[in-house]
Amino acid sequence: MVELADVPQLTDPVLVAAFEGWNDAGDAASGAVRHLLEVWDAVKVGALDPEDYHDFQVTRPDVRIDEHGARRVVWHTTEVYVARPTGSSRDLVLVSGVEPSFRWRSFCAELLDVAERLGVSTVVTLGALLADVPHSRPTPVSGTSSDAALAARLALEPSRYEGPTGIVGVLTDAAQQVGMPAVSFWAAVPHYVAQPPAPKATVALLARIEDLLDVPVPLRQLPEDARAWEHGVNDLAANDTEIADYVRELEQARDETDLPEASGDSIAREFERYLRRRDGGRGG
């Protein structure tokens, strides 16, 4: 059992988790959680023992030199933090780590035990996948939820995916099995620029967190990073005719698909997000 530090009474907390590895194209999902840890001054309250879940030949520990000049070994594990988002009526439990190598069911059971002890009401998992999407258009984010009310509020469609899954899918399913409402958001990262970071996809995932919590997330440098990333890919395409032609095909397909959605609920959601950000500011 994870030993938790002294944790203040949390208000209707939401757990948000992301894991480096197979579920995390461009480090977009883990980057979103790291950003939340920073902008909302999250405090670490516990960690899972990596001995139980990781193959250290795959996820090797690091040697670091501390402030006293002493060398020490740092083991990569799954850490649990709590945060109080500015302006939110709900607290946040943030889970950050590396996809485990084995014993996934035990891993999920341990995380959900922590969630229950902290009073978590909803589990949110973040992921990112490589896809045939153009870098020059808004990043698509798909979402699913086991809770009908949440699915309706966030305009989520039932998932029809069948195939291999990672720890994100297993944790989401485990939460559903114990009756804990779960939401999963996945950002699509262009497969032709798969190397991390993918700040544009990270921003898109954070927008969905804003929708869920109904509070603006301070973005700080991320929008500028996203624009620089897009300009860099534009330069890459300008020097490679095959990539340029391929991107144009993706843009045309995306525009034809999105045209019917350029009104109605999608515009309303974007306007609501704009109002929250204007009222909440970009501080933090």
PDB file of all heavy atoms in Angstrom, residues 153 206-217 268-282:
ATOM      1  N   ARG A 153     -22.103  16.103 -21.235  1.00  0.00           N
ATOM      2  CA  ARG A 153     -21.609  17.460 -20.969  1.00  0.00           C
ATOM      3  C   ARG A 153     -20.379  17.790 -21.800  1.00  0.00           C
ATOM      4  O   ARG A 153     -20.218  18.923 -22.275  1.00  0.00           O
ATOM      5  CB  ARG A 153     -21.281  17.619 -19.483  1.00  0.00           C
ATOM      6  CG  ARG A 153     -20.763  19.008 -19.125  1.00  0.00           C
ATOM      7  CD  ARG A 153     -20.748  19.241 -17.632  1.00  0.00           C
ATOM      8  NE  ARG A 153     -19.678  18.581 -16.944  1.00  0.00           N
ATOM      9  CZ  ARG A 153     -18.431  19.081 -16.846  1.00  0.00           C
ATOM     10  NH1 ARG A 153     -18.129  20.234 -17.433  1.00  0.00           N
ATOM     11  NH2 ARG A 153     -17.506  18.429 -16.185  1.00  0.00           N
ATOM     12  N   LEU A 206      -4.852  20.022 -22.640  1.00  0.00           N
ATOM     13  CA  LEU A 206      -5.138  20.937 -21.535  1.00  0.00           C
ATOM     14  C   LEU A 206      -6.472  21.649 -21.742  1.00  0.00           C
ATOM     15  O   LEU A 206      -7.180  21.959 -20.768  1.00  0.00           O
ATOM     16  CB  LEU A 206      -4.003  21.957 -21.389  1.00  0.00           C
ATOM     17  CG  LEU A 206      -2.675  21.375 -20.900  1.00  0.00           C
ATOM     18  CD1 LEU A 206      -1.578  22.444 -20.951  1.00  0.00           C
ATOM     19  CD2 LEU A 206      -2.799  20.825 -19.481  1.00  0.00           C
ATOM     20  N   ALA A 207      -6.845  21.888 -22.996  1.00  0.00           N
ATOM     21  CA  ALA A 207      -8.146  22.497 -23.272  1.00  0.00           C
ATOM     22  C   ALA A 207      -9.279  21.590 -22.797  1.00  0.00           C
ATOM     23  O   ALA A 207     -10.306  22.054 -22.286  1.00  0.00           O
ATOM     24  CB  ALA A 207      -8.291  22.801 -24.760  1.00  0.00           C
ATOM     25  N   ARG A 208      -9.108  20.288 -22.941  1.00  0.00           N
ATOM     26  CA  ARG A 208     -10.140  19.351 -22.471  1.00  0.00           C
ATOM     27  C   ARG A 208     -10.183  19.297 -20.951  1.00  0.00           C
ATOM     28  O   ARG A 208     -11.252  19.112 -20.352  1.00  0.00           O
ATOM     29  CB  ARG A 208      -9.891  17.958 -23.058  1.00  0.00           C
ATOM     30  CG  ARG A 208      -9.957  17.913 -24.564  1.00  0.00           C
ATOM     31  CD  ARG A 208     -11.279  18.483 -25.079  1.00  0.00           C
ATOM     32  NE  ARG A 208     -12.320  17.470 -25.145  1.00  0.00           N
ATOM     33  CZ  ARG A 208     -13.616  17.736 -25.131  1.00  0.00           C
ATOM     34  NH1 ARG A 208     -14.038  18.986 -25.001  1.00  0.00           N
ATOM     35  NH2 ARG A 208     -14.493  16.765 -25.221  1.00  0.00           N
ATOM     36  N   ILE A 209      -9.036  19.475 -20.304  1.00  0.00           N
ATOM     37  CA  ILE A 209      -9.024  19.567 -18.838  1.00  0.00           C
ATOM     38  C   ILE A 209      -9.768  20.818 -18.402  1.00  0.00           C
ATOM     39  O   ILE A 209     -10.517  20.816 -17.408  1.00  0.00           O
ATOM     40  CB  ILE A 209      -7.580  19.574 -18.307  1.00  0.00           C
ATOM     41  CG1 ILE A 209      -6.890  18.241 -18.623  1.00  0.00           C
ATOM     42  CG2 ILE A 209      -7.553  19.842 -16.809  1.00  0.00           C
ATOM     43  CD1 ILE A 209      -7.536  17.038 -17.993  1.00  0.00           C
ATOM     44  N   GLU A 210      -9.593  21.900 -19.140  1.00  0.00           N
ATOM     45  CA  GLU A 210     -10.358  23.123 -18.854  1.00  0.00           C
ATOM     46  C   GLU A 210     -11.856  22.855 -18.946  1.00  0.00           C
ATOM     47  O   GLU A 210     -12.630  23.292 -18.088  1.00  0.00           O
ATOM     48  CB  GLU A 210      -9.974  24.230 -19.838  1.00  0.00           C
ATOM     49  CG  GLU A 210      -8.609  24.831 -19.620  1.00  0.00           C
ATOM     50  CD  GLU A 210      -8.367  26.020 -20.535  1.00  0.00           C
ATOM     51  OE1 GLU A 210      -8.956  26.056 -21.640  1.00  0.00           O
ATOM     52  OE2 GLU A 210      -7.609  26.913 -20.149  1.00  0.00           O
ATOM     53  N   ASP A 211     -12.275  22.156 -19.987  1.00  0.00           N
ATOM     54  CA  ASP A 211     -13.696  21.846 -20.151  1.00  0.00           C
ATOM     55  C   ASP A 211     -14.209  21.026 -18.970  1.00  0.00           C
ATOM     56  O   ASP A 211     -15.315  21.263 -18.475  1.00  0.00           O
ATOM     57  CB  ASP A 211     -13.922  21.049 -21.442  1.00  0.00           C
ATOM     58  CG  ASP A 211     -13.633  21.866 -22.693  1.00  0.00           C
ATOM     59  OD1 ASP A 211     -13.619  23.111 -22.599  1.00  0.00           O
ATOM     60  OD2 ASP A 211     -13.421  21.260 -23.754  1.00  0.00           O
ATOM     61  N   LEU A 212     -13.415  20.063 -18.536  1.00  0.00           N
ATOM     62  CA  LEU A 212     -13.844  19.181 -17.457  1.00  0.00           C
ATOM     63  C   LEU A 212     -13.954  19.925 -16.128  1.00  0.00           C
ATOM     64  O   LEU A 212     -14.945  19.781 -15.400  1.00  0.00           O
ATOM     65  CB  LEU A 212     -12.857  18.013 -17.319  1.00  0.00           C
ATOM     66  CG  LEU A 212     -13.160  17.019 -16.215  1.00  0.00           C
ATOM     67  CD1 LEU A 212     -14.380  16.177 -16.578  1.00  0.00           C
ATOM     68  CD2 LEU A 212     -11.958  16.116 -15.954  1.00  0.00           C
ATOM     69  N   LEU A 213     -12.928  20.722 -15.809  1.00  0.00           N
ATOM     70  CA  LEU A 213     -12.897  21.419 -14.519  1.00  0.00           C
ATOM     71  C   LEU A 213     -13.626  22.745 -14.540  1.00  0.00           C
ATOM     72  O   LEU A 213     -13.886  23.337 -13.481  1.00  0.00           O
ATOM     73  CB  LEU A 213     -11.440  21.655 -14.093  1.00  0.00           C
ATOM     74  CG  LEU A 213     -10.572  20.420 -13.857  1.00  0.00           C
ATOM     75  CD1 LEU A 213      -9.159  20.843 -13.471  1.00  0.00           C
ATOM     76  CD2 LEU A 213     -11.175  19.534 -12.784  1.00  0.00           C
ATOM     77  N   ASP A 214     -13.945  23.231 -15.759  1.00  0.00           N
ATOM     78  CA  ASP A 214     -14.602  24.530 -15.916  1.00  0.00           C
ATOM     79  C   ASP A 214     -13.771  25.650 -15.288  1.00  0.00           C
ATOM     80  O   ASP A 214     -14.288  26.527 -14.591  1.00  0.00           O
ATOM     81  CB  ASP A 214     -16.008  24.493 -15.304  1.00  0.00           C
ATOM     82  CG  ASP A 214     -16.877  25.656 -15.794  1.00  0.00           C
ATOM     83  OD1 ASP A 214     -16.600  26.156 -16.900  1.00  0.00           O
ATOM     84  OD2 ASP A 214     -17.802  26.056 -15.073  1.00  0.00           O
ATOM     85  N   VAL A 215     -12.466  25.602 -15.540  1.00  0.00           N
ATOM     86  CA  VAL A 215     -11.553  26.624 -15.023  1.00  0.00           C
ATOM     87  C   VAL A 215     -10.396  26.753 -16.011  1.00  0.00           C
ATOM     88  O   VAL A 215      -9.966  25.756 -16.599  1.00  0.00           O
ATOM     89  CB  VAL A 215     -11.025  26.240 -13.617  1.00  0.00           C
ATOM     90  CG1 VAL A 215     -10.161  24.988 -13.670  1.00  0.00           C
ATOM     91  CG2 VAL A 215     -10.264  27.387 -12.972  1.00  0.00           C
ATOM     92  N   PRO A 216      -9.899  27.961 -16.272  1.00  0.00           N
ATOM     93  CA  PRO A 216      -8.789  28.110 -17.223  1.00  0.00           C
ATOM     94  C   PRO A 216      -7.488  27.554 -16.670  1.00  0.00           C
ATOM     95  O   PRO A 216      -7.190  27.696 -15.481  1.00  0.00           O
ATOM     96  CB  PRO A 216      -8.702  29.631 -17.441  1.00  0.00           C
ATOM     97  CG  PRO A 216      -9.317  30.231 -16.221  1.00  0.00           C
ATOM     98  CD  PRO A 216     -10.387  29.281 -15.788  1.00  0.00           C
ATOM     99  N   VAL A 217      -6.718  26.903 -17.527  1.00  0.00           N
ATOM    100  CA  VAL A 217      -5.388  26.424 -17.173  1.00  0.00           C
ATOM    101  C   VAL A 217      -4.370  27.456 -17.640  1.00  0.00           C
ATOM    102  O   VAL A 217      -4.345  27.794 -18.831  1.00  0.00           O
ATOM    103  CB  VAL A 217      -5.092  25.070 -17.844  1.00  0.00           C
ATOM    104  CG1 VAL A 217      -3.652  24.633 -17.553  1.00  0.00           C
ATOM    105  CG2 VAL A 217      -6.078  24.013 -17.379  1.00  0.00           C
ATOM    106  N   ALA A 268     -19.876  26.850 -29.860  1.00  0.00           N
ATOM    107  CA  ALA A 268     -20.290  27.216 -28.502  1.00  0.00           C
ATOM    108  C   ALA A 268     -19.219  26.829 -27.486  1.00  0.00           C
ATOM    109  O   ALA A 268     -18.902  27.611 -26.576  1.00  0.00           O
ATOM    110  CB  ALA A 268     -21.617  26.549 -28.159  1.00  0.00           C
ATOM    111  N   ARG A 269     -18.632  25.643 -27.634  1.00  0.00           N
ATOM    112  CA  ARG A 269     -17.598  25.213 -26.693  1.00  0.00           C
ATOM    113  C   ARG A 269     -16.373  26.111 -26.783  1.00  0.00           C
ATOM    114  O   ARG A 269     -15.782  26.473 -25.758  1.00  0.00           O
ATOM    115  CB  ARG A 269     -17.205  23.758 -26.978  1.00  0.00           C
ATOM    116  CG  ARG A 269     -18.237  22.738 -26.532  1.00  0.00           C
ATOM    117  CD  ARG A 269     -17.641  21.339 -26.483  1.00  0.00           C
ATOM    118  NE  ARG A 269     -17.140  20.906 -27.777  1.00  0.00           N
ATOM    119  CZ  ARG A 269     -17.878  20.293 -28.706  1.00  0.00           C
ATOM    120  NH1 ARG A 269     -19.160  20.068 -28.480  1.00  0.00           N
ATOM    121  NH2 ARG A 269     -17.343  19.923 -29.849  1.00  0.00           N
ATOM    122  N   GLU A 270     -15.970  26.457 -28.004  1.00  0.00           N
ATOM    123  CA  GLU A 270     -14.810  27.328 -28.152  1.00  0.00           C
ATOM    124  C   GLU A 270     -15.072  28.704 -27.560  1.00  0.00           C
ATOM    125  O   GLU A 270     -14.189  29.308 -26.948  1.00  0.00           O
ATOM    126  CB  GLU A 270     -14.425  27.453 -29.623  1.00  0.00           C
ATOM    127  CG  GLU A 270     -13.800  26.205 -30.211  1.00  0.00           C
ATOM    128  CD  GLU A 270     -12.560  25.785 -29.452  1.00  0.00           C
ATOM    129  OE1 GLU A 270     -11.741  26.670 -29.109  1.00  0.00           O
ATOM    130  OE2 GLU A 270     -12.408  24.586 -29.188  1.00  0.00           O
ATOM    131  N   PHE A 271     -16.299  29.215 -27.716  1.00  0.00           N
ATOM    132  CA  PHE A 271     -16.622  30.525 -27.170  1.00  0.00           C
ATOM    133  C   PHE A 271     -16.623  30.489 -25.643  1.00  0.00           C
ATOM    134  O   PHE A 271     -16.127  31.411 -24.981  1.00  0.00           O
ATOM    135  CB  PHE A 271     -17.992  30.989 -27.686  1.00  0.00           C
ATOM    136  CG  PHE A 271     -18.332  32.397 -27.283  1.00  0.00           C
ATOM    137  CD1 PHE A 271     -17.543  33.461 -27.674  1.00  0.00           C
ATOM    138  CD2 PHE A 271     -19.456  32.657 -26.504  1.00  0.00           C
ATOM    139  CE1 PHE A 271     -17.850  34.756 -27.310  1.00  0.00           C
ATOM    140  CE2 PHE A 271     -19.774  33.942 -26.138  1.00  0.00           C
ATOM    141  CZ  PHE A 271     -18.975  35.003 -26.533  1.00  0.00           C
ATOM    142  N   GLU A 272     -17.177  29.417 -25.065  1.00  0.00           N
ATOM    143  CA  GLU A 272     -17.160  29.272 -23.606  1.00  0.00           C
ATOM    144  C   GLU A 272     -15.727  29.213 -23.081  1.00  0.00           C
ATOM    145  O   GLU A 272     -15.398  29.803 -22.046  1.00  0.00           O
ATOM    146  CB  GLU A 272     -17.929  28.013 -23.199  1.00  0.00           C
ATOM    147  CG  GLU A 272     -19.434  28.141 -23.388  1.00  0.00           C
ATOM    148  CD  GLU A 272     -20.147  26.809 -23.212  1.00  0.00           C
ATOM    149  OE1 GLU A 272     -19.450  25.809 -22.911  1.00  0.00           O
ATOM    150  OE2 GLU A 272     -21.376  26.771 -23.376  1.00  0.00           O
ATOM    151  N   ARG A 273     -14.863  28.502 -23.806  1.00  0.00           N
ATOM    152  CA  ARG A 273     -13.463  28.416 -23.386  1.00  0.00           C
ATOM    153  C   ARG A 273     -12.802  29.786 -23.456  1.00  0.00           C
ATOM    154  O   ARG A 273     -12.036  30.170 -22.573  1.00  0.00           O
ATOM    155  CB  ARG A 273     -12.720  27.409 -24.261  1.00  0.00           C
ATOM    156  CG  ARG A 273     -11.285  27.147 -23.814  1.00  0.00           C
ATOM    157  CD  ARG A 273     -10.610  26.100 -24.684  1.00  0.00           C
ATOM    158  NE  ARG A 273     -11.264  24.815 -24.513  1.00  0.00           N
ATOM    159  CZ  ARG A 273     -11.737  24.074 -25.503  1.00  0.00           C
ATOM    160  NH1 ARG A 273     -11.638  24.524 -26.754  1.00  0.00           N
ATOM    161  NH2 ARG A 273     -12.305  22.922 -25.279  1.00  0.00           N
ATOM    162  N   TYR A 274     -13.100  30.543 -24.503  1.00  0.00           N
ATOM    163  CA  TYR A 274     -12.553  31.890 -24.633  1.00  0.00           C
ATOM    164  C   TYR A 274     -12.984  32.771 -23.466  1.00  0.00           C
ATOM    165  O   TYR A 274     -12.182  33.504 -22.883  1.00  0.00           O
ATOM    166  CB  TYR A 274     -13.011  32.508 -25.958  1.00  0.00           C
ATOM    167  CG  TYR A 274     -12.868  34.014 -25.996  1.00  0.00           C
ATOM    168  CD1 TYR A 274     -11.630  34.619 -26.139  1.00  0.00           C
ATOM    169  CD2 TYR A 274     -13.998  34.833 -25.854  1.00  0.00           C
ATOM    170  CE1 TYR A 274     -11.503  36.005 -26.157  1.00  0.00           C
ATOM    171  CE2 TYR A 274     -13.883  36.208 -25.867  1.00  0.00           C
ATOM    172  CZ  TYR A 274     -12.635  36.788 -26.017  1.00  0.00           C
ATOM    173  OH  TYR A 274     -12.522  38.149 -26.019  1.00  0.00           O
ATOM    174  N   LEU A 275     -14.257  32.681 -23.087  1.00  0.00           N
ATOM    175  CA  LEU A 275     -14.751  33.501 -21.990  1.00  0.00           C
ATOM    176  C   LEU A 275     -14.080  33.123 -20.669  1.00  0.00           C
ATOM    177  O   LEU A 275     -13.730  33.999 -19.872  1.00  0.00           O
ATOM    178  CB  LEU A 275     -16.273  33.357 -21.860  1.00  0.00           C
ATOM    179  CG  LEU A 275     -17.101  33.966 -22.996  1.00  0.00           C
ATOM    180  CD1 LEU A 275     -18.594  33.706 -22.765  1.00  0.00           C
ATOM    181  CD2 LEU A 275     -16.843  35.466 -23.118  1.00  0.00           C
ATOM    182  N   ARG A 276     -13.902  31.823 -20.435  1.00  0.00           N
ATOM    183  CA  ARG A 276     -13.244  31.402 -19.195  1.00  0.00           C
ATOM    184  C   ARG A 276     -11.817  31.936 -19.146  1.00  0.00           C
ATOM    185  O   ARG A 276     -11.347  32.409 -18.120  1.00  0.00           O
ATOM    186  CB  ARG A 276     -13.210  29.879 -19.105  1.00  0.00           C
ATOM    187  CG  ARG A 276     -14.508  29.241 -18.661  1.00  0.00           C
ATOM    188  CD  ARG A 276     -14.256  27.820 -18.165  1.00  0.00           C
ATOM    189  NE  ARG A 276     -13.580  26.999 -19.142  1.00  0.00           N
ATOM    190  CZ  ARG A 276     -14.207  26.248 -20.050  1.00  0.00           C
ATOM    191  NH1 ARG A 276     -15.527  26.243 -20.095  1.00  0.00           N
ATOM    192  NH2 ARG A 276     -13.522  25.532 -20.896  1.00  0.00           N
ATOM    193  N   ARG A 277     -11.132  31.827 -20.280  1.00  0.00           N
ATOM    194  CA  ARG A 277      -9.737  32.275 -20.293  1.00  0.00           C
ATOM    195  C   ARG A 277      -9.639  33.790 -20.145  1.00  0.00           C
ATOM    196  O   ARG A 277      -8.755  34.304 -19.451  1.00  0.00           O
ATOM    197  CB  ARG A 277      -9.080  31.827 -21.601  1.00  0.00           C
ATOM    198  CG  ARG A 277      -7.607  32.172 -21.672  1.00  0.00           C
ATOM    199  CD  ARG A 277      -6.889  31.293 -22.659  1.00  0.00           C
ATOM    200  NE  ARG A 277      -6.952  29.902 -22.263  1.00  0.00           N
ATOM    201  CZ  ARG A 277      -6.247  29.380 -21.261  1.00  0.00           C
ATOM    202  NH1 ARG A 277      -5.443  30.167 -20.564  1.00  0.00           N
ATOM    203  NH2 ARG A 277      -6.337  28.113 -20.951  1.00  0.00           N
ATOM    204  N   ARG A 278     -10.575  34.522 -20.767  1.00  0.00           N
ATOM    205  CA  ARG A 278     -10.559  35.982 -20.633  1.00  0.00           C
ATOM    206  C   ARG A 278     -10.823  36.385 -19.188  1.00  0.00           C
ATOM    207  O   ARG A 278     -10.156  37.264 -18.637  1.00  0.00           O
ATOM    208  CB  ARG A 278     -11.632  36.596 -21.548  1.00  0.00           C
ATOM    209  CG  ARG A 278     -11.580  38.123 -21.587  1.00  0.00           C
ATOM    210  CD  ARG A 278     -12.814  38.695 -22.252  1.00  0.00           C
ATOM    211  NE  ARG A 278     -14.006  38.403 -21.472  1.00  0.00           N
ATOM    212  CZ  ARG A 278     -15.224  38.819 -21.797  1.00  0.00           C
ATOM    213  NH1 ARG A 278     -15.396  39.514 -22.909  1.00  0.00           N
ATOM    214  NH2 ARG A 278     -16.267  38.524 -21.050  1.00  0.00           N
ATOM    215  N   ASP A 279     -11.796  35.740 -18.553  1.00  0.00           N
ATOM    216  CA  ASP A 279     -12.154  36.083 -17.176  1.00  0.00           C
ATOM    217  C   ASP A 279     -11.104  35.590 -16.186  1.00  0.00           C
ATOM    218  O   ASP A 279     -10.839  36.240 -15.186  1.00  0.00           O
ATOM    219  CB  ASP A 279     -13.525  35.491 -16.818  1.00  0.00           C
ATOM    220  CG  ASP A 279     -14.643  36.097 -17.642  1.00  0.00           C
ATOM    221  OD1 ASP A 279     -14.426  37.203 -18.177  1.00  0.00           O
ATOM    222  OD2 ASP A 279     -15.709  35.471 -17.765  1.00  0.00           O
ATOM    223  N   GLY A 280     -10.538  34.397 -16.481  1.00  0.00           N
ATOM    224  CA  GLY A 280      -9.582  33.822 -15.533  1.00  0.00           C
ATOM    225  C   GLY A 280      -8.169  34.308 -15.714  1.00  0.00           C
ATOM    226  O   GLY A 280      -7.336  34.165 -14.841  1.00  0.00           O
ATOM    227  N   GLY A 281      -7.895  34.882 -16.882  1.00  0.00           N
ATOM    228  CA  GLY A 281      -6.545  35.371 -17.150  1.00  0.00           C
ATOM    229  C   GLY A 281      -5.588  34.254 -17.464  1.00  0.00           C
ATOM    230  O   GLY A 281      -5.911  33.095 -17.476  1.00  0.00           O
ATOM    231  N   ARG A 282      -4.340  34.625 -17.690  1.00  0.00           N
ATOM    232  CA  ARG A 282      -3.310  33.651 -18.053  1.00  0.00           C
ATOM    233  C   ARG A 282      -2.213  33.608 -16.993  1.00  0.00           C
ATOM    234  O   ARG A 282      -1.082  33.270 -17.271  1.00  0.00           O
ATOM    235  CB  ARG A 282      -2.677  34.012 -19.413  1.00  0.00           C
ATOM    236  CG  ARG A 282      -3.638  33.860 -20.563  1.00  0.00           C
ATOM    237  CD  ARG A 282      -2.987  34.319 -21.848  1.00  0.00           C
ATOM    238  NE  ARG A 282      -3.868  34.138 -22.983  1.00  0.00           N
ATOM    239  CZ  ARG A 282      -3.833  33.103 -23.782  1.00  0.00           C
ATOM    240  NH1 ARG A 282      -3.001  32.126 -23.545  1.00  0.00           N
ATOM    241  NH2 ARG A 282      -4.657  33.012 -24.811  1.00  0.00           N
TER     242      ARG A 282
END
